Amino acid sequence: MLVDGRPYRSIWSAADGEGVEIIDQTLLPFVFRVVRLATLADAAHAIRDMQVRGAPLIGATAAYGIWLGLREGLSKAHLTAMAAELIACRPTAVNLRWAVERMLAHLVPLPEQERRAAALAEAELICTEDVRTNEAIGQHGLTLIEEIWRKKGEQGTVNLLTHCNAGWLATVDWGTALAPVYAAAAKGIPMHVWVDETRPRNQGASLTAWELGKAGIAHQLIVDNAGGHLMQHGMVDLCIVGSDRTTASGDVCNKIGTYLKALAAQANKVPFYVALPGSTVDWQLHDGVADIPIEERSENEVLFMQGRDEQGTVRRVGIAPAQTRAFNPAFDVTPAHLVSGLITERGLCAASQEGLRQLYPEQVHD
Ligand code: MRU
């Protein structure tokens, strides 16, 4: 996507062939800084501290991390140790495990001296595929937006609500939930996006609002508690969110607060769609609430907020009494029955075992 007229992806291999470059997402929207990753430790740190985040992007970063780490050793034992270190960085988004396992499956059978070049090629392929996948998600999601636009008599705007950031910053390019928005805008459909601020880390306020602004798409930031009210008053035509892990039965795990939006959407008959690549489906799991590990992050993310003061200085401020403790589950699970449908790179389907199996028949093993 374009940033001030210049095309960017969220991650790329450096021109000197020695490292990887990312946009440091902990600094947005205040500072746009490209950071270089040179080692496995750099990649692990970038994932853990959320310089990169979003399920597809952490998978891509881990893939490059394996390449970087092969400088320190080429053996199978080293590969296995790197895989374990990377997978442990963030437990919920399954794309991380998917990408690391794909890298190992590709590299382990090769002679050691071929592994570095092959790792770079495979990491690049994961990125290229991610871009294609998200573009396809955009085109399939576009059909939903076009239908709403037709029903509105092609008048006014299509009002879409999204939670967290599932835009191009969360993937290599295009995004998942925002890919249909970009596709609709490119077709000339007037879009307006309600952006949930997404406490505690404010991915909506700092990332989604930033990338929609750069793309020139109309949007307004709302507090996380506003969505139900807007839906009651007919101000939301459609919700689209992303996913960090989807079970084989269509339960969807996404940023904390997604579940409440799905409940409000169902109560108000607002379509609630989830956009995801096939790599986000954990085919071994069937009960999302019981089985998906939910990352618990530092209580400081709840107790403090970062922002820019009137003088333009970025500061971190406390928002609770000094002795108050906090609890910070980073994701929640929306059961399949609350999801109107899934938007994948292979098309739309019901959020159910049957729906997913129809689109991904190669995953049916019984
Ligand atoms: O904690 P984050 O910022 O990594 O969480 C990201 C999300 O929850 C996204 O909605 C999800 O990864 C889908 S990204 C295409």
Side-chain angles (χ1 to χ4, degrees):
M1 299 291 289
L2 296 178
V3 178
D4 303 331
R6 196 178 148 184
Y8 275 96
R9 286 183 173 184
S10 61
I11 191 166
W12 61 94
S13 50
D16 62 10
E18 293 296 320
V20 175
E21 291 180 334
I22 58 164
I23 298 163
D24 185 345
Q25 299 191 24
T26 61
L27 303 176
L28 288 172
F30 309 116
V31 177
F32 181 85
R33 183 175 302 155
V34 170
V35 166
R36 188 181 177 93
L37 311 179
T39 62
L40 171 75
D42 288 347
H45 169 265
I47 295 170
R48 215 180 299 109
D49 285 13
M50 295 176 66
Q51 287 179 305
V52 289
R53 27 67 52 204
L57 179 56
I58 61 179
T61 309
Y64 278 124
I66 299 257
W67 168 58
L68 295 172
L70 282 171
R71 275 201 201 119
E72 294 148 33
L74 292 164
S75 68
K76 182 178 172 195
H78 181 57
L79 277 170
T80 312
M82 288 197 289
E85 180 177 343
L86 287 163
I87 290 173
C89 287
R90 295 199 70 191
T92 299
V94 79
N95 303 60
L96 179 56
R97 186 185 80 200
W98 170 86
V100 167
E101 286 178 353
R102 174 169 159 171
M103 291 294 285
L104 257 61
H106 184 67
L107 299 174
V108 167
L110 298 177
E112 287 192 359
Q113 67 278 13
E114 289 178 21
R115 285 182 179 160
R116 268 213 91 215
L120 176 59
E122 192 66 6
E124 303 272 36
L125 186 59
I126 286 175
C127 290
T128 312
E129 287 177 7
D130 185 67
V131 177
R132 260 193 248 127
T133 293
N134 299 328
E135 218 173 342
I137 287 173
Q139 291 306 313
H140 294 301
L142 170 62
T143 61
L144 295 169
I145 295 175
E146 284 175 326
E147 197 181 314
I148 291 169
W149 179 233
R150 266 195 304 275
K151 280 194 190 143
K152 289 185 117 180
E154 305 195 356
Q155 300 286 320
T157 56
V158 174
N159 293 299
L160 182 143
L161 183 143
T162 193
H163 191 69
C164 194
N165 171 262
W168 71 268
L169 288 170
T171 63
V172 178
D173 207 353
W174 294 109
T176 55
L178 292 189
V181 174
Y182 293 129
K187 273 222 145 180
I189 299 175
M191 295 299 302
H192 171 264
V193 183
W194 297 113
V195 179
D196 283 352
E197 63 179 344
T198 318
R199 279 281 288 146
R201 289 187 68 105
N202 291 322
Q203 286 95 331
S206 54
L207 304 176
T208 301
W210 181 83
E211 64 165 269
L212 289 173
K214 293 289 176 201
I217 291 175
H219 62 281
Q220 279 170 281
L221 187 63
I222 51 174
V223 296
D224 287 324
N225 301 327
H229 169 74
L230 299 187
M231 291 186 214
Q232 279 178 328
H233 289 272
M235 296 163 79
V236 181
D237 296 309
L238 166 76
C239 301
I240 307 184
V241 299
S243 172
D244 288 87
R245 195 185 294 222
T246 305
T247 64
S249 52
D251 294 342
V252 172
C253 183
N254 190 49
K255 182 52 58 195
I256 193 79
T258 302
Y259 172 47
L260 282 175
K261 292 301 138 66
L263 285 170
Q266 191 191 49
N268 292 285
K269 300 190 173 43
V270 172
F272 187 92
Y273 280 85
V274 181
L276 59 122
S279 54
T280 299
V281 183
D282 188 336
W283 298 98
Q284 288 144 32
L285 299 189
H286 294 270
D287 181 343
V289 175
D291 297 334
I292 296 180
I294 301 294
E295 177 179 5
E296 266 177 45
R297 295 189 59 87
S298 162
E299 64 174 357
N300 287 338
E301 292 184 350
V302 179
L303 297 171
F304 295 86
M305 280 178 86
Q306 177 169 291
R308 188 167 48 189
D309 69 17
E310 285 172 345
Q311 280 69 48
T313 307
V314 177
R315 290 186 192 283
R316 184 169 172 267
V317 294
I319 60 162
Q323 68 280 13
T324 297
R325 306 299 309 267
F327 175 52
N328 186 15
F331 298 94
D332 61 24
V333 173
T334 300
H337 70 89
L338 294 175
V339 178
S340 310
L342 304 177
I343 310 169
T344 78
E345 73 277 21
R346 296 193 187 177
L348 306 179
C349 73
S352 65
Q353 179 161 297
E354 300 68 44
L356 279 166
R357 283 180 167 202
Q358 268 168 23
L359 287 188
Y360 299 92
E362 73 277 17
Q363 298 293 344
V364 180
H365 298 298
D366 51 16

